[in-house]
Amino acid sequence: MNSVYKDTRTLIATRRLLQDGQVKVSEVIQECLNNICKTEPTLKALLNIQEEQAMEQAREMDRQGPDTNKPLWGIPMTIKDAICTRDMPTTCGSRILANFTPGYDATLVHRLKEAGAVILGKTNLDEFAMGSSTENSALQTTHNPWDLSRVPGGSSGGSAASMAALQSLGSIGTDTGGSIRQPASFCGVVGMKPTYGRVSRYGLVAFGSSLEQAGPITTCVPDCAALMSVISGHDLLDSTSSAAPVPDYLGALERRNDLKGLRIGLPAQYWEKKMSPEVYTACNHAMQTARDAGAETVTVDLPHAGHAVAAYYIIAMAEASSNLARYDGVRYGYRDMEATELLDMYRRTRSRALGEEVQRRIMIGTYVLSAGYYDAYFKKAAQVRRLIHQDFMRAFEDCDVICSPVVPFTAFSIGEKVDDPLQLYLMDIFTSSINLAGLPGISIPAGLGGGSGMPVGIQILGPAFSEELLLQSACVLEQALGPLPLPTALI
């Protein structure tokens, strides 16, 4: 292995070395495979590893030489297993899709490949992205690289854990109510949830269609910006895709080296909520660091924030009930072969191949959509959703961005909350609002908790299509706060 690469842990630095011919693609891929070999037996972040295919592709790229027209040439990537990948299994962490291999790539995967990325594998997740700890995966439980006895968060826990363990140089997750930002916080990496419509949803296996967005999980903000530039943009295959122009996110980072003139809103409803002392201390320190960099902090009001979790779960479960009706054993996926009648086959297939949490959400979603309860639950949640969006719009009249903790506490022990779904739902108290409003947000490490020694994340939220400002602000704050040490799994 070329010694010049050994101290490099970022996509941007590695890309420069590859383009200059100082390292080979096969060396970069092998380094990631070495980290996988070292960490994966205990981490269990990956559901599928494309070792032979990736090395074959890398050797061919080395023969052809660097391609300066491809911004991700030779960069190894992992993809959350709720995103379709051609000729590669896409299981959604569920037994019902355990043998499903799509015949096409999701648009964002196609764009990554066109940019020269090498897909190294698929990452674990809570089944159908329904969960906050990756304990709901039907295939395996992922562990946190900082402490193997703790969860990595979810539902994109496999992607966050994989990135923290340097199993690749970039990963793609999905965020329906915080599922990129929360595991990024737990694992000490950067995670961005884009504006709804900024990244094509074509090829995402649907859970909550009006809520979810795919986005990058990386080790630093510039890497996040580089991936956003590739995966963003209009897609004719996705009716929810926005035609808004895509800025040069990476180039924008060079235009800002401080936070002077930036007004940061601090919602009282978030900062006065109960959170662990170590989370409050780390996030408060991050805000003081932002002030030292020139930012002004102001108090803003989000009066309906307290209703966000209830509204989010009603809407998300209703959409899940509708979206998951297709998994009936007839068209594709698992089918129970013991049934003798059609209705019995439906019942046996879904009860045996769908996990407890997925079944719970389908049942609740069906209930809130039923004729007698639609107005009382789903309609009311939709009205609250509009009020939450209006709250954000008013708040952004007084500030440029909003900051808050990502989660009220650091990563908890595996098994600690698995039997209390309500406690897991309440973890989304700081994250689900912007999914309801369709707004962007980014989580960056704010430091390590003084008590647990686990990573703490702080999130920066902005108006629709303000990703450029969020990335600029996050990059300045990230540099001021300084990097985290390597997680335990890599030492």
Side-chain angles (χ1 to χ4, degrees), residues 60 129 239 286 350 394:
E60 179 60 28
S239 62
R350 289 169 68 82
R394 281 191 288 267

Side-chain angles (χ1 to χ4, degrees), residues 209-457:
S209 301
S210 73
L211 300 162
E212 61 196 2
Q213 269 288 273
I217 298 177
T218 60
T219 57
C220 65
V221 174
D223 290 1
C224 184
L227 291 182
M228 279 295 298
S229 294
V230 171
I231 65 175
S232 299
H234 184 240
D235 179 18
L236 292 174
L237 297 174
D238 176 12
S239 62
T240 67
S241 174
S242 171
V246 179
D248 177 7
Y249 293 122
L250 186 59
L253 301 187
E254 299 177 0
R255 298 196 294 269
R256 186 162 205 149
N257 54 21
D258 59 37
L259 298 180
K260 290 179 181 178
L262 186 74
R263 296 171 301 163
I264 299 177
L266 304 179
Q269 289 82 1
Y270 287 179
W271 288 87
E272 293 176 1
K273 287 284 185 182
K274 289 184 178 180
M275 65 183 84
S276 69
E278 59 183 351
V279 169
Y280 179 81
T281 299
C283 290
N284 194 48
H285 170 69
M287 287 299 91
Q288 184 55 53
T289 303
R291 296 185 193 99
D292 294 341
E296 174 191 359
T297 56
V298 297
T299 301
V300 295
D301 189 28
L302 298 175
H304 298 94
H307 303 297
V309 171
Y312 164 76
Y313 273 101
I314 288 173
I315 292 170
M317 291 181 183
E319 293 184 359
S321 172
S322 176
N323 281 324
L324 269 67
R326 70 193 72 179
Y327 303 109
D328 54 10
V330 175
R331 284 157 284 197
Y332 58 92
Y334 169 83
R335 175 188 295 182
D336 184 88
M337 303 304 293
E338 298 178 6
T340 56
E341 298 178 347
L342 182 63
L343 291 179
D344 188 41
M345 187 272 289
Y346 288 157
R347 183 173 61 252
R348 285 173 175 266
T349 294
R350 289 169 68 82
S351 62
R352 291 184 177 183
L354 294 176
E356 182 178 328
E357 179 61 26
V358 174
Q359 292 186 45
R360 179 186 294 114
R361 296 194 187 200
I362 290 173
M363 294 296 289
I364 295 175
T366 303
Y367 177 82
V368 301
L369 288 174
S370 61
Y373 299 97
Y374 178 89
D375 287 345
Y377 292 103
F378 186 81
K379 181 179 178 180
K380 188 67 68 176
Q383 292 170 334
V384 171
R385 181 181 196 169
R386 171 56 59 181
L387 292 173
I388 289 171
H389 182 270
Q390 292 172 349
D391 288 347
F392 275 110
M393 294 306 98
R394 281 191 288 267
F396 287 126
E397 293 175 1
D398 299 321
C399 64
D400 302 306
V401 299
I402 287 173
C403 282
S404 82
V406 180
V407 198
F409 39 78
T410 55
F412 51 89
S413 298
I414 292 173
E416 180 181 334
K417 301 180 185 293
V418 71
D419 294 325
D420 191 347
L422 181 58
Q423 287 299 312
L424 289 171
Y425 298 164
L426 291 173
M427 287 175 57
D428 297 334
I429 190 168
F430 299 141
T431 56
S432 57
S433 292
I434 69 162
N435 296 83
L436 290 168
L439 304 179
I442 185 170
S443 169
I444 64 171
L448 299 179
S452 65
M454 297 296 291
V456 175

Side-chain angles (χ1 to χ4, degrees), residues 154-155 174-184 312 406 428 431-432 435:
S155 63
T174 63
D175 193 312
T176 310
S179 292
I180 286 175
R181 290 160 289 147
Q182 185 251 43
Y312 164 76
V406 180
D428 297 334
T431 56
S432 57
N435 296 83

